[in-house]
């Protein structure tokens, strides 16, 4: 028989604690909610009230249930109020000495049979437990932010946690409607171990002015389907908490430099920019605690006025916008005959551009033309496109097998094979043929754009235009500017992206651009975690989906993307950035060698032969 939990205590009513109180009270459990002072208690009460009022406003909670929920919560200052609870969850700031002091006191005030749990994200549950005389009754119960919404709970057992306590806590999670994964005590557990290197990397991108905050966030939302971008997530977590988690993970997790907090973070914390809770972090919010972002000095001018201004480099708190006028583009040349070229031709033609498609021969042009027709017809069948629109789009495309027909286009998009020598030769030819001032864009996903640019005498006019596959569907385009690209060329392609109905995000010319540089190391880390037997592929996938709201877990995604592609991208990142943590996971290499490439070979991390 699982133990009955009728009253629980929550210590610390900040970002996490207030949400945890709500989770228990919503599920019919009485809560003693404890803070360090009256003002802090009031803040916690206000957070709970605001959250439950929002739930009522959204129709997710009946007013009577809200009132009953509040009646179950008893607020108090000081730990002695917890003398008769069955379980305590501590959610105070992420400092080991503070948590140890609190656990020592909890041990004195709580009933001997009470379970003492910590919501720590990165500290050692074992080290916290030895501050008590009952380490076998100490456990980690790691909720995700926002606690009332996210389904996952990581249950962390130490080497001394008793199996009954683990079972009781697992049963409690089920009663709360949560899905638990039970794991051993390791820095960052599953989700944070995979998340924080990525978050820190995104902060490094802001710090180095590699890309603007809005662009980094848009890239990960639109390119990977994540519920929020990394910088908005940092603001939600709280920059002080994130700093402590990174710092602890760095020290506990083998001094992986990717977890060494980026200096900008420390500066922001010192300056009181803690994220949503203080009203300002990477973004500025309507007021402290509000989720509503308001424009500030660093707001992208292009977003603000939707017009000519483009914002080239942004530091937090400083708006260094670069004003440049985009050139008028009406006629576009697209070179190539593969999947990407075909999709890009369709995208431009549908958006009203006059298109010149150049392939290596009439036969290839015929194939591409058929593919474009088939795709447009699908749009008609699905009711997304009228027959007249389809015919007009097809009528706008000219088919050619010679580059000479690109003499009068305003923009060229190259989407030929991913080989530098081929692209360089092509750009040298384009340089001879195209009129001056034309923007020359490459869709490369891995080659340095500057190499391609320097094959011409007009590197200022060369940019990267990285579409995602399938181009007609994916809303994101990465606009890559090299150190020679002019602001006008960047402004022009950004305006073109907007006219295509895509979000163009601007970034520097580095391996992986924004999306792949942030995504693939995380996937690689998941493989390393599996390889270390810390958890299973199923639990790791669960953790990322239910704890972080990702549309797919890392192993599901790897099987879709293809393990060979993932390995190739990871190798490139490793070679260019020389970051030891980016070294491809040996297990990934072995699976590729074995021919287990994912869904396309019916076997990757999972067996797809019967599905
Ligand atoms: N923020 C997140 O996204 C997140 C997610 C999961 C877990 N966590 C973990 O949850 C814990 C709390 O983090 P947070 O982000 O909620 O922090 P927070 O700073 O938002 O809140 C901490 C609260 O603890 C209170 N407090 C401090 N000392 C206290 C004491 N002696 N007694 C009672 N209350 C005290 C503070 O007044 C504050 O309200 C940390 O261990 C953190 O790692 C955070």
């Amino acid at each position: 028989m699982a133990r009955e939990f009728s009253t629980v205590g929550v210590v610390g009513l900040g970002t996490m604690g207030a949400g945890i109180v709500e989770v228990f009270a919503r599920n019919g459990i009485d809560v003693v909610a404890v803070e360090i002072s009256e003002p802090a208690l009031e803040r916690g009460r206000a957070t709970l009230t605001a959250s439950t009022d929002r739930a009522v406003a959204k129709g997710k909670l009946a007013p009577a249930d809200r009132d009953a929920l509040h009646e179950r919560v008893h607020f108090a200052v000081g730990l002695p109020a917890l003398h008769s609870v069955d379980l305590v969850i501590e959610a105070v700031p992420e400092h080991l000495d503070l948590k140890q002091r609190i656990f020592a006191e909890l041990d004195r005030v709580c009933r001997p049979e009470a379970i003492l749990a910590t919501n720590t994200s990165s500290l050692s549950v074992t080290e916290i437990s030895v501050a008590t005389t009952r380490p076998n009754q100490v456990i980690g119960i790691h909720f995700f932010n926002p606690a009332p919404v996210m389904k996952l709970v990581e249950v962390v057992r130490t080497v001394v946690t008793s199996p009954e306590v683990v079972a009781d806590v697992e049963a409690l999670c089920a009663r709360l409607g949560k899905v638990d994964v039970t794991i051993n005590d390791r820095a960052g557990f599953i989700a944070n171990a995979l998340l924080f290197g990525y978050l820190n990397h995104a902060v490094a991108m802001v710090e180095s002015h590699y890309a603007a905050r809005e662009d980094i966030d848009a890239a990960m939302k639109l390119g990977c389907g994540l519920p929020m971008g990394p910088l908005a997530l940092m603001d939600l977590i709280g920059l002080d908490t994130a700093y402590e988690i990174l710092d602890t993970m760095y020290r506990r997790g083998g001094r992986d430099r990717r977890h060494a907090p980026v200096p900008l973070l420390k500066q922001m914390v010192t300056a009181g920019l803690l994220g949503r809770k203080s009203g300002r972090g990477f973004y500025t919010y309507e007021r402290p605690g509000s989720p509503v972002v308001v424009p500030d000095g660093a707001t992208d001018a292009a977003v603000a006025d939707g017009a000519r201004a483009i914002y080239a480099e942004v530091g937090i708190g400083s708006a260094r916008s670069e004003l440049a006028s985009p050139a008028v583009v009406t006629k576009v040349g697209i070179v190539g005959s593969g999947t990407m070229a075909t999709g890009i031709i369709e995208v431009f033609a549908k958006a009203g551009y006059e298109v010149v498609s150049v392939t290596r021969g009439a036969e290839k042009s015929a194939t591409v033309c058929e593919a474009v027709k088939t795709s447009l017809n699908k749009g008609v069948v699905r009711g997304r496109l009228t027959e007249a629109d389809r015919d007009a789009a097809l009528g706008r495309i000219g088919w050619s097998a010679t580059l000479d027909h690109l003499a009068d286009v305003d923009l060229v998009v190259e989407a030929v094979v991913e080989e530098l020598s081929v692209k360089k030769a092509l750009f040298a030819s384009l340089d001879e043929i195209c009129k001056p001032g034309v923007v020359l864009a490459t869709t490369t996903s891995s080659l340095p754009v500057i190499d391609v640019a320097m094959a011409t005498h007009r590197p200022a006019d060369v940019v990267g235009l990285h579409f995602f596959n399938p181009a007609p569907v994916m809303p994101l385009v990465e606009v890559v500017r090299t150190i020679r690209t002019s602001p006008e060329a960047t402004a022009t392609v950004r305006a073109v992206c907007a006219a295509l109905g895509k979000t163009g995000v601007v970034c520097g010319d580095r391996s992986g651009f924004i999306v792949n540089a942030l995504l693939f190391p995380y996937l690689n880390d998941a493989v390393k975690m599996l390889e270390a037997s810390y958890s299973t592929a199923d639990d790791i996938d669960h953790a990322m989906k239910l704890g972080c709201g990702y549309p797919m877990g890392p192993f599901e995604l790897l099987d879709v993307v293809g393990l060979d592609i993932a390995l190739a991208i990871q190798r490139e990142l490793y070679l260019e950035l020389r970051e030891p943590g980016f070294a491809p996971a040996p297990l990934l290499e072995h699976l590729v060698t074995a021919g287990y490439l994912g869904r396309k070979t019916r076997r990757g991390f999972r067996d797809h032969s019967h599905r």
Side-chain angles (χ1 to χ4, degrees):
M1 261 292 280
R3 171 196 310 231
E4 251 316 298
F5 295 97
S6 50
T7 311
V8 304
V10 176
V11 183
L13 307 178
T15 308
M16 288 311 291
I20 295 170
V21 169
E22 183 177 336
V23 170
F24 282 108
R26 258 195 195 213
N27 287 282
I29 298 173
D30 289 332
V31 185
V32 181
V34 169
E35 258 292 351
I36 192 168
S37 64
E38 281 297 341
L41 198 63
E42 270 323 300
R43 273 199 306 274
R45 195 197 300 265
T47 308
L48 178 67
T49 305
S51 174
T52 51
D53 285 353
R54 266 199 309 273
V56 170
K58 285 187 190 157
K60 291 188 179 153
L61 189 69
D65 291 340
R66 172 198 48 200
D67 298 345
L69 183 160
H70 282 274
E71 270 168 28
R72 281 185 212 110
V73 185
H74 170 71
F75 289 92
V77 172
L79 302 182
L82 301 168
H83 55 85
S84 58
V85 301
D86 305 309
L87 172 140
V88 180
I89 298 194
E90 160 281 310
V92 305
E94 190 78 343
H95 297 291
L96 182 61
D97 51 344
L98 172 64
K99 294 199 190 259
Q100 285 183 323
R101 255 187 289 128
I102 289 194
F103 270 71
E105 195 179 340
L106 287 173
D107 191 33
R108 280 191 293 276
V109 301
C110 292
R111 294 189 298 134
E113 60 275 20
I115 294 175
L116 307 181
T118 172
N119 184 50
T120 183
S121 308
S122 57
L123 294 167
S124 160
V125 180
T126 316
E127 281 182 60
I128 294 171
S129 77
V130 294
T132 73
T133 58
R134 54 176 113 177
N136 58 333
Q137 278 161 249
V138 175
I139 192 164
I141 305 184
H142 184 231
F143 284 87
F144 286 76
N145 188 0
V149 179
M150 302 313 290
K151 278 262 171 229
L152 184 77
V153 174
E154 288 173 327
V155 174
V156 185
R157 61 173 169 229
T158 73
V159 285
V160 290
T161 310
S162 93
E164 293 76 38
V165 167
V166 174
D168 290 342
V169 167
E170 286 172 341
L172 176 65
C173 291
R175 179 172 166 199
L176 299 175
K178 301 288 183 192
V179 175
D180 71 275
V181 293
T182 301
I183 42 188
N184 295 333
D185 186 16
R186 191 173 116 161
F189 315 128
I190 298 177
N192 285 349
L194 296 181
L195 188 66
F196 271 83
Y198 148 71
L199 295 177
N200 205 32
H201 192 174
V203 176
M205 285 181 173
V206 174
E207 191 190 54
S208 63
H209 298 179
Y210 177 69
R213 60 183 185 184
E214 287 89 351
D215 282 0
I216 295 171
D217 279 350
M220 296 314 285
K221 276 167 65 177
L222 302 177
C224 306
L226 305 189
M228 64 202 311
L231 303 164
L233 179 55
M234 285 295 267
D235 276 359
L236 176 70
I237 291 170
L239 269 48
D240 49 346
T241 301
Y243 176 87
E244 294 303 331
I245 293 173
L246 280 165
D247 189 49
T248 310
M249 291 198 19
Y250 175 73
R251 282 183 285 107
R252 279 187 74 204
R255 304 202 174 245
D256 183 339
R257 285 188 45 242
R258 293 177 302 155
H259 291 139
V262 169
L264 175 64
L265 257 184
K266 180 75 176 184
Q267 290 159 25
M268 291 176 75
V269 172
T270 307
L273 309 179
L274 306 183
R276 272 194 204 183
K277 63 183 161 190
S278 71
R280 192 163 161 209
F282 286 100
Y283 295 91
T284 302
Y285 299 85
E286 214 172 35
R287 63 191 131 67
S290 162
V292 180
V293 173
V294 294
D296 60 17
T299 301
D300 185 341
V303 173
D305 68 16
R308 354 179 333 269
I310 81 121
Y311 163 70
E313 283 180 311
V314 172
I316 282 295
S318 73
R320 288 205 278 142
S321 8
E322 204 174 313
L323 296 181
S325 298
V328 175
V329 174
T330 50
K331 191 166 179 182
V332 180
I334 296 163
V335 188
S337 52
T339 315
M340 290 315 290
T342 308
I344 294 167
I345 291 169
E346 179 184 334
V347 168
F348 275 95
K350 265 203 302 212
Y353 288 92
E354 198 183 329
V355 174
V356 182
S357 154
V358 179
T359 72
R360 277 170 299 157
E363 226 171 273
K364 291 215 181 282
S365 290
T367 315
V368 177
C369 180
E370 264 323 298
V372 172
K373 269 189 197 154
T374 308
S375 177
L376 288 171
N377 278 333
K378 266 192 208 149
V380 173
V381 170
R382 293 189 182 144
R384 292 202 198 111
L385 199 69
T386 65
E387 288 188 9
D389 288 342
R390 173 200 60 196
D391 297 343
L394 283 170
R396 280 185 214 110
I397 310 172
W399 305 97
S400 165
T402 157
L403 293 174
D404 294 339
H405 288 128
L406 300 178
D408 64 342
V409 299
D410 308 309
L411 164 71
V412 178
V413 180
E414 164 278 312
V416 303
V417 66
E418 189 78 342
E419 262 175 47
L420 188 57
S421 58
V422 176
K423 293 201 194 265
K424 279 168 82 167
L426 175 61
F427 271 73
S429 305
L430 292 173
D431 193 21
E432 309 247 301
I433 293 164
C434 295
K435 63 185 184 190
V438 170
V439 176
L440 303 178
T442 170
T443 54
T444 182
S445 43
S446 61
L447 301 169
V449 178
I450 190 67
D451 278 339
V452 178
M454 295 312 286
T456 72
H457 294 97
R458 43 174 121 177
D461 299 332
V462 178
V463 296
L465 206 50
H466 185 224
F467 283 84
F468 288 73
N469 189 16
V473 177
M474 295 297 287
L476 183 73
V477 179
E478 287 174 319
V479 172
V480 185
R481 44 154 210 234
T482 74
I483 42 171
R484 301 279 306 254
T485 305
S486 71
E488 288 73 22
T490 313
T492 301
V493 284
R494 210 170 182 181
V496 166
C497 289
L500 295 175
K502 307 275 185 204
T503 299
V505 295
V506 180
C507 65
D509 183 20
R510 264 212 256 159
S511 181
F513 308 137
I514 299 175
V515 172
N516 288 355
L518 291 178
L519 179 68
F520 283 87
Y522 143 73
L523 297 174
N524 192 50
D525 284 345
V527 181
K528 288 183 185 167
M529 183 179 275
L530 181 69
E531 197 167 22
S533 300
Y534 179 61
S535 187
T536 62
D538 287 352
D539 275 358
I540 296 172
D541 276 353
H542 256 118
M544 298 316 290
K545 286 198 288 190
L546 301 177
C548 305
Y550 282 24
M552 276 192 233
F555 298 104
E556 281 175 292
L557 184 57
L558 279 162
D559 275 3
V560 170
V561 168
L563 275 56
D564 50 340
I565 306 277
L567 179 60
I569 293 173
Q570 193 60 29
R571 276 195 183 134
E572 299 248 3
L573 288 170
Y574 180 53
L575 285 178
E576 177 163 312
L577 302 169
R578 316 280 168 107
E579 165 57 61
F582 286 173
L587 177 60
L588 187 61
E589 310 231 19
H590 290 189
L591 289 165
V592 171
T593 308
Y596 295 166
L597 308 184
R599 283 183 178 269
K600 60 187 168 189
T601 59
R602 296 183 168 272
R603 178 140 184 203
F605 283 96
R606 297 197 171 88
D607 183 350
H608 303 281
S609 53
H610 306 296
R611 295 181 200 181

